[in-house]
Amino acid sequence: MTTTYELRIRNDRHVVDIAAPDMGVPATGRNSPNQTGGGEIHTEWLRELTSVPRNAAVLKDLISRTPALWFLGERPATILRPRSRRAGVKGLHEVRAVAIGPYHRGDRGLAFDDESKLPFLRYLRGQCGLDLEECVAALGAARGSFRDEFADDAAAADLLRDEEKFVKMLLLDSSFVLVFGLMFGRPGSRVNGAAASVTREHFVLHSALAQHADEIRLDLLVLENQVPFAAVELLAASCRRLKLRSVEELVLGCFDSICPRRAHGKVDLETTDARFCHILHLFHWSRVPENKYRVLSMPLKLLEAEPEPERRIPCARELQRAAVWFRKPSLDTEGTIRGGDLDMEFWTAAASPIALMSIPSFHIFPYTAALLHNMVAFERHFHWAHGVCATVHVARMEGLVRCPQDAALLRRRRVLGSVKCTDEEVVDFFRGIGVEATGVRMPEEYGEMLAAVARHRRRRARRWCGDFILHFLPSPWVAVSLAAVAALIIVPAMLQTIYTILGYQSSR
C-alpha cells in the first residue's frame, strides 16, 4: 500500500509550508521503499526547513543586514554617538555651550545646564501661552517613540529608562531650542508677534544667548547632541499665543550664516512633506541637492573598468594638465547655486579638446571641520535614507587637493575662497576629513564622474592641448597679452594694406 501526502501551499510572505499528512494514514515521517526504490528517507527535516517562524526570523535578519531594505525593517535610532575616530578627534564632536539630549548631560563647563534652561520654559509659558500640563501629557504619551530615537548608551541608560527624567529632559531641551529659534531665527517666520515683545525677561535671555550664539549653533549640529524634532513641534503646538508658518523654517533660519549654504529648491519649507528626525537631519536636508547622491553603491563595472590609481578623482594639477578648466557653477534667478555648495559637475564633448569642471567655492572656517565631521557621520549611519552628498564632496576635494601646489591652484581659480589656512594646512584638512569617508558606499554620480574624467584623460589630443596651455598659456593674462600684441602688429598692417589698396584704386 502506498502512502499519499497532501501538499498544502500557502502564500505567506513567499514562504511555502508543507502541511502534516492528514489522509487517514499515520504520519510515519518516512517514504515507502516501494516509492523510492530502496532505503528509507526521513522527511522530518522538511517541516523544519519550510516552517513559517524560522523563515520569518531569517528574513528579518536579512532585512536588518541589508541597508536597501531599511523600509521593511525596524526603524533604527537616529540620535547616537559616532564612535569612529572619537579618541583622536574629540574637538569634532564635543559640545561647547549647551547639552541637548542625554549623552552630554554630565559635561562640565557648559554655559547652559538644566537649571539654566528653566527660564526658557517660563518664558514660553508667560509670553507664548504654553499649556504646560497639556504639553507634559503629550510628551508622556509619545515618550515611547521618542525613546526609540536614542541609541542605547551605558552612560545615559539611567536617564533614558527613568520616564520622569526623560520627559523632563525633552521639555527643557525643546524649550531651549524653540526660544533660541524665536530669538535668532529668520525674520518673518513668526506670524504672531506675541513672542517678540521686549520685556526684562526677554532682554536677559536674549543677551545670554547672544553671548554664546555661535557655539550654540554648532552644538545643535552635533549628531549625538540632539532632541527629536517632533518634541519641538509638539511644544510649539502647545503655545496658544504663538503662531508659526513652520517650526522647521524657524529653526533652520538660525543657520543661514553657516556655510555650506542652502541648496537650490530648499529655500521654502512650506512646500515639502519631509519629516525630520532632529536638527542635524533638517540642516543636512537643506544643504544637499534634490534627488542626487541617493544610490547605495557604485556600479561594479565602473570600478572594474578603471585601474587602481583612477578609482579616485585626479588632483587639480593633473586635471589642468589634461585641459580641464575649473569654473564656478551657474546661479539661478534667485542668486543661489543650482546644485548647492556640495555639488560638482563635469562636462566634456567629443569634438572639444577642453573639459569643464564646475566646483562651488569651498570656505574653510574654524567650524568647518566639526560640521563636516558630523554630516559625514550622519551619512555613514543613514546613507540608505538620506544619501551621501557630503561624503562624496569630501572624497572629491580630498582627491583634488593632494599637495600644496593643488591648493594654490584651486585658490587662484577661486575654488577655495576666503581661506585663512596655508596650503599645507588645507591639504591636512581634507586628508583628515577624508578618513571619515573611508568605507562609505558611493553613489552612481561619483562613479560616472570618475569614468568621464578617465575617458577625457585617455585622449592624446586633450593631453597635448593641456600641455600647450600649461606651458605657453599658464595664466589668462598671458593669453590677453598675446592677443594684445597680435592686435598691435596685425591691425596696423591690415589698415595699411587697406589704405594702400584704396589709394591705388582712387589713383586709377
Side-chain angles (χ1 to χ4, degrees):
M1 186 175 84
T2 60
T3 304
T4 304
Y5 292 99
E6 178 187 6
L7 300 181
R8 184 174 59 192
I9 301 176
R10 297 187 294 109
N11 185 11
D12 188 0
R13 295 187 179 181
H14 305 286
V15 178
V16 179
D17 192 14
I18 301 179
D22 187 11
M23 295 294 292
V25 181
T28 60
R30 61 189 59 151
N31 293 334
S32 172
N34 297 332
Q35 291 178 294
T36 60
E40 296 184 353
I41 300 177
H42 296 274
T43 58
E44 289 86 353
W45 52 271
L46 287 177
R47 181 176 302 279
E48 180 183 0
L49 289 180
T50 58
S51 64
V52 174
R54 180 175 179 181
N55 278 271
V58 173
L59 287 176
K60 183 178 180 180
D61 179 67
L62 289 175
I63 290 173
S64 65
R65 292 187 285 109
T66 307
L69 302 178
W70 62 272
F71 52 89
L72 298 177
E74 297 179 359
R75 186 172 180 270
T78 61
I79 304 174
L80 66 158
R81 292 181 186 264
R83 301 185 182 279
S84 61
R85 298 180 66 240
R86 289 178 57 86
V89 291
K90 182 178 179 181
L92 301 183
H93 59 78
E94 66 179 358
V95 298
R96 301 159 180 80
V98 60
I100 303 295
Y103 301 128
H104 286 282
R105 223 69 182 182
D107 292 2
R108 297 182 178 181
L110 300 179
F112 298 95
D113 53 9
D114 283 354
E115 201 68 25
S116 302
K117 296 174 185 177
L118 294 177
F120 297 93
L121 180 63
R122 184 178 178 86
Y123 175 85
L124 291 176
R125 189 175 185 181
Q127 297 294 323
C128 303
L130 172 62
D131 190 336
L132 193 55
E133 288 74 14
E134 177 185 349
C135 181
V136 171
L139 289 174
R143 65 182 180 274
S145 60
F146 292 152
R147 169 62 182 83
D148 294 338
E149 298 290 336
F150 296 94
D152 293 330
D153 188 86
D158 295 338
L159 181 58
L160 294 175
R161 294 174 184 173
D162 192 312
E163 296 182 357
E164 182 178 346
K165 292 182 179 179
F166 182 69
V167 173
K168 179 182 177 181
M169 178 198 72
L170 294 177
L171 183 63
L172 293 178
D173 291 348
S174 300
S175 301
F176 184 89
V177 172
L178 185 57
V179 174
F180 184 76
L182 290 171
M183 294 185 177
F184 294 91
R186 173 177 294 185
S189 297
R190 300 180 295 276
V191 177
N192 190 345
S197 58
V198 179
T199 61
R200 181 179 182 274
E201 186 178 16
H202 178 91
F203 178 76
V204 171
L205 294 181
H206 187 278
S207 300
L209 291 175
Q211 185 178 0
H212 304 279
D214 294 337
E215 291 82 0
I216 293 173
R217 290 187 179 94
L218 297 182
D219 291 344
L220 294 180
L221 297 178
V222 176
L223 179 57
E224 60 191 87
N225 198 51
Q226 302 291 328
V227 67
F229 202 84
V232 181
E233 293 178 323
L234 192 151
L235 179 67
S238 300
C239 297
R240 303 301 183 187
R241 297 196 297 271
L242 181 62
K243 299 185 182 299
L244 302 174
R245 291 203 303 264
S246 170
V247 181
E248 293 87 353
E249 185 65 37
L250 176 73
V251 175
L252 191 59
C254 301
F255 306 99
D256 286 343
S257 60
I258 290 183
C259 290
R261 296 163 294 183
R262 291 197 195 188
H264 174 71
K266 302 296 184 69
V267 178
D268 189 5
L269 276 165
E270 297 181 7
T271 59
T272 181
D273 296 330
R275 304 296 299 175
F276 303 103
C277 304
H278 43 71
I279 296 178
L280 179 60
H281 178 200
L282 173 63
F283 180 86
H284 178 272
W285 172 88
S286 67
R287 264 59 183 178
V288 301
E290 193 73 27
N291 300 324
K292 294 188 68 175
Y293 308 106
R294 301 298 298 272
V295 181
L296 294 180
S297 59
M298 186 167 57
L300 293 179
K301 61 181 181 179
L302 295 179
L303 282 176
E304 296 173 354
E306 306 299 339
E308 181 66 27
E310 296 184 359
R311 292 189 183 181
R312 63 173 180 172
I313 194 168
C315 67
R317 291 186 302 157
E318 292 175 353
L319 291 178
Q320 184 188 34
R321 195 172 293 113
V324 176
W325 289 3
F326 302 102
R327 76 170 191 178
K328 291 185 178 181
S330 58
L331 303 178
D332 58 9
T333 56
E334 299 177 356
T336 59
I337 300 177
R338 295 185 181 277
D341 287 347
L342 300 178
D343 192 22
M344 294 185 188
E345 294 183 356
F346 182 81
W347 298 281
T348 182
S352 175
I354 298 175
L356 298 177
M357 177 172 285
S358 171
I359 307 178
S361 296
F362 191 90
H363 300 265
I364 299 179
F365 297 103
Y367 60 80
T368 304
L371 179 60
L372 289 180
H373 171 84
N374 285 282
M375 293 183 70
V376 171
F378 176 74
E379 293 179 349
R380 175 184 289 272
H381 292 90
F382 308 107
H383 62 274
W384 36 263
H386 308 300
V388 288
C389 179
T391 304
V392 169
H393 192 75
V394 168
R396 287 171 175 171
M397 293 301 297
E398 182 192 13
L400 288 174
V401 184
R402 299 183 195 174
C403 64
Q405 291 76 11
D406 295 326
L409 173 61
L410 295 181
R411 196 194 301 268
R412 292 194 301 269
R413 296 294 185 269
R414 300 185 182 276
V415 173
L416 296 175
S418 302
V419 179
K420 298 182 180 180
C421 308
T422 63
D423 296 337
E424 292 79 6
E425 291 173 342
V426 172
V427 176
D428 295 338
F429 171 84
F430 288 113
R431 188 173 299 166
I433 299 298
V435 176
E436 301 295 325
T438 304
V440 179
R441 298 181 180 181
M442 294 297 182
E444 289 184 350
E445 288 86 352
Y446 183 75
E448 290 172 355
M449 178 175 285
L450 290 182
V453 171
R455 289 193 301 268
H456 175 80
R457 295 178 64 199
R458 281 196 293 264
R459 296 191 59 180
R460 293 184 179 180
R462 292 173 178 177
R463 293 202 303 267
W464 293 339
C465 180
D467 291 336
F468 177 80
I469 295 175
L470 185 63
H471 290 88
F472 298 101
L473 303 174
S475 172
W477 294 109
V478 176
V480 173
S481 301
L482 292 177
V485 171
L488 292 176
I489 296 176
I490 297 175
V491 172
M494 292 179 59
L495 293 176
Q496 182 66 31
T497 303
I498 293 173
Y499 293 152
T500 303
I501 295 174
L502 294 176
Y504 174 77
Q505 291 181 350
S506 61
S507 62
R508 295 182 59 186

